[in-house]
Amino acid sequence: MSNNKEIKSEKIFVRQVLEMWFTIPVYQRPYVWGNEEISDFLDDISYAALHNPTNEYFIGSIVLQDKPKDDNHKRNINFKEYYLMDGQQRITTLLLLIAVIRDLTQETKLKQTCQEFICQQENAYKGIPERMRIISDRHEVQLFIDSYVKPEGGTLKYDDLKYTINYGKDITAANMACAVMQINEYFSDEDNIDKEKFFGFLMNYVLMIYVSTEDFADAFMLFTVLNARGIPLRNCDILKAINLGEIRDKNDQEIYSKLWTDIENEHGDEFDRFLSFIRTLYVKEKPRLSLLKEFEEKIYIPQGKDKKALLKKGADTFKRLKQINDHYSTLFSQNNYAVDNSWRFDNLLLIMNEGYLAKDWIPPLLAYFDKYKNTMLVEFLLKLDNKVSGDWIAQETPTSRIEYMNKILKKIEESLTPTDIFNSDVFSFDRVAFCRNIEGKVYGRRWDKYVLLKLDFLIQSSKEKRGGYSKISIEHILPQSPDQDSQWCIDFDSQQREGMTHLLGNLVLISRQKNSSQSRYEYSMKKSKYFKNNIETFPNSVRVMARYDKWTPTELNENHKTVINMLKNHYE
């Protein structure tokens, strides 16, 4: 191309696509097509082949960036190569599909044709090197292709493929192995279309549209817009590509791409949320736009005259991502005894993470640790937790609670010492509303489980580490629906049952699903048979069962006053 800003677009058959040469760049997201996408892909083409066998069938578009000519020249390559910017899911599936058909068919010519679409054979006499039609810049992915796609019979190594699915560390390789198994199963089913007929239709009637340019910015713009039949790009995919686009050195691209992928794998489906924590650290206000737009318009662009961008694209973003992730991993490692020679920090963080529905408190914790590390860290977490739970229980609105967290972030930023933060008013909350709500009916409130976990924290020794939580249920000691001829109805009149059943003093945590029949046991039997083996992980529940041999209005009131006073003292 004479003009590197030129954008080419053309309608081509799949057989022409499979004669091209592609590299999947490091900034591409993993291969993520699963059973549903592959089934739809195969079924749609099969239906078209069976019902409209002479009509062209369109399966979507691909976006390509021309590989620089100087790069080809260095490697003595005289054919056109492309970076596959968009369409990776479809093109990769086609590659796997062709490999499976090659291994299942008994027709020599079909095997040979498939292999030519997968890999160019070396011919030293003609100066032709061996070359895969599709290569990946990621080592683990290329290793899978070289092991199971390139060699004939590779897709029939079912035991190896199952091992990759169950124990492989790379998500793309695992998903590719799943796809190979599914495609094999599809063509092994006699009720489905004959693979030879399918292949003939695929080569001669199935179309794609490719769009290509040499300019990365143009290619990326198309990459973000043209995503017709594929899985929609996530904010994190686009953000990754934007920042890799700022890095010109290929080795650095590979390093930062792997860094990003490793962190993404750590967080899994919560990765976008983790990125939103980083957004909040910088913007310090309630999000008004999508995550991507917040980064683009509020973090990467200076917010006013003579101001700098909050964060630079490229290497700075990747380094900051790693730094914040390291903070996150340290804080949530449950291995922070050295902070103050106790397990207070880890125990409190565990119940916060388990008990809170929202996670708006995490950015202030990250910001404090980023600035002050372990200095007065436990004290900060105690105050942060009281603020978060105090506002929640006092029934502040979600918007107000977010704004309060942003005020803490701003105070951390402007502070010179931790004491500056502690002496400010950012941790204050409505204590009157808080007390009113914990003293009344607690069961059924969204924060009921959290308050009981908080009591466990207050009772437990700081030298004892809490275990993880599996099943947690809230149990009423005085049952919600006692049998009419039970002792419960003798000890508690209807008015007392109405007013006391859902009080905090009548509630304990158990480590099993609730059992309505056992819940109505008389107290002595309930204590010995139902609670005995199901409360050992909950200090408050253990305390109540050890303290009381019977349960009447007197004991319930006494326990209620005890737990309310514990909370009031802790919340000052």
Side-chain angles (χ1 to χ4, degrees), residues 483 485-492 522:
D483 293 333
D485 58 351
S486 68
Q487 186 66 35
W488 295 115
C489 292
I490 296 173
D491 292 335
F492 294 84
E522 300 295 356

Side-chain angles (χ1 to χ4, degrees), residues 77-233:
I77 293 174
N78 58 6
F79 49 81
K80 193 74 172 175
E81 288 187 297
Y82 299 95
Y83 284 119
L84 183 56
M85 300 285 287
D86 185 41
Q88 177 207 171
Q89 309 296 323
R90 287 183 293 280
I91 297 299
T92 301
T93 303
L94 283 170
L95 176 72
L96 302 177
L97 172 63
I98 298 302
V100 170
I101 292 176
R102 173 202 64 197
D103 292 342
L104 291 180
T105 188
Q106 300 301 314
E107 291 190 14
T108 303
K109 185 172 289 187
L110 178 53
K111 278 185 181 291
Q112 181 182 346
T113 302
C114 288
Q115 189 63 21
E116 288 172 356
F117 285 134
I118 294 169
C119 179
Q120 173 182 270
Q121 298 301 308
E122 179 183 16
N123 188 325
Y125 298 109
K126 294 182 178 181
I128 298 174
E130 181 182 80
R131 165 77 179 181
M132 292 293 294
R133 293 287 177 182
I134 302 175
I135 61 173
S136 173
D137 278 350
R138 292 167 59 191
H139 172 73
E140 297 86 352
V141 178
Q142 190 58 47
L143 182 62
F144 179 90
I145 293 172
D146 290 342
S147 300
Y148 304 108
V149 178
K150 177 182 175 182
E152 186 174 334
T155 68
L156 302 179
K157 297 177 179 179
Y158 299 138
D159 289 341
D160 290 351
L161 293 170
K162 289 177 182 177
Y163 184 88
T164 300
I165 294 168
N166 294 324
Y167 303 107
K169 295 181 179 179
D170 186 85
I171 188 172
T172 291
N175 287 336
M176 290 172 74
C178 283
V180 167
M181 297 285 286
Q182 185 179 355
I183 297 168
N184 261 306
E185 185 178 344
Y186 184 88
F187 286 111
S188 299
D189 187 339
E190 295 181 356
D191 292 335
N192 289 329
I193 188 173
D194 177 83
K195 53 188 169 294
E196 287 78 16
K197 185 173 184 178
F198 181 97
F199 184 83
F201 180 79
L202 180 67
M203 292 299 106
N204 295 294
Y205 293 97
V206 178
L207 295 164
M208 302 186 79
I209 289 180
Y210 88 90
V211 185
S212 71
T213 177
E214 286 185 6
D215 184 73
F216 177 85
D218 287 343
F220 179 70
M221 179 271 294
L222 293 165
F223 164 65
T224 59
V225 174
L226 298 178
N227 197 49
R229 282 189 53 154
I231 294 174
L233 294 171

Side-chain angles (χ1 to χ4, degrees), residues 334 344-357 359 361 385 392 449-458 460 466-467 469:
Q334 285 291 293
R344 283 198 303 168
F345 180 85
D346 288 330
N347 288 343
L348 181 53
L349 196 63
L350 186 64
I351 70 164
M352 291 173 71
N353 209 28
E354 174 71 26
Y356 289 141
L357 302 177
K359 304 299 179 184
W361 53 274
D385 172 60
W392 191 23
K449 183 192 297 183
Y450 172 78
V451 174
L452 289 164
L453 288 170
K454 188 65 167 283
L455 286 171
D456 283 347
F457 170 77
L458 297 179
Q460 185 176 21
R466 283 208 63 76
Y469 296 103

Side-chain angles (χ1 to χ4, degrees), residues 269-394:
D269 293 338
E270 302 297 324
F271 185 55
D272 264 15
R273 188 175 72 175
F274 175 72
L275 291 176
S276 76
F277 295 157
I278 297 176
R279 180 219 72 89
T280 301
L281 286 173
Y282 283 97
V283 180
K284 300 179 182 65
E285 63 181 36
K286 183 179 179 179
R288 308 290 179 185
L289 306 168
S290 70
L291 178 65
L292 182 63
K293 283 185 175 290
E294 293 268 333
F295 268 88
E296 283 279 38
E297 298 181 14
K298 296 185 177 181
I299 295 177
Y300 291 143
I301 296 177
Q303 301 297 301
K305 189 177 180 181
D306 300 326
K307 288 191 175 182
K308 295 181 179 179
L310 298 174
L311 183 64
K312 291 182 180 179
K313 294 179 181 178
D316 285 355
T317 292
F318 287 107
K319 291 174 182 177
R320 189 59 170 154
L321 176 72
K322 181 182 185 305
Q323 186 179 39
I324 299 301
N325 187 65
D326 287 346
H327 293 343
Y328 186 92
S329 298
T330 298
L331 291 167
F332 288 90
S333 68
Q334 285 291 293
N335 192 30
N336 293 293
Y337 185 89
V339 171
D340 72 338
N341 293 319
S342 81
W343 292 113
R344 283 198 303 168
F345 180 85
D346 288 330
N347 288 343
L348 181 53
L349 196 63
L350 186 64
I351 70 164
M352 291 173 71
N353 209 28
E354 174 71 26
Y356 289 141
L357 302 177
K359 304 299 179 184
D360 304 312
W361 53 274
I362 294 180
L365 178 59
L366 290 168
Y368 183 91
F369 187 73
D370 186 49
K371 189 166 187 175
Y372 294 116
K373 299 300 183 285
N374 288 344
T375 303
M376 301 183 75
L377 180 61
V378 175
E379 291 79 359
F380 176 81
L381 188 65
L382 286 164
K383 286 186 173 291
L384 179 66
D385 172 60
N386 280 6
K387 171 62 176 172
V388 176
S389 57
D391 286 337
W392 191 23
I393 294 169

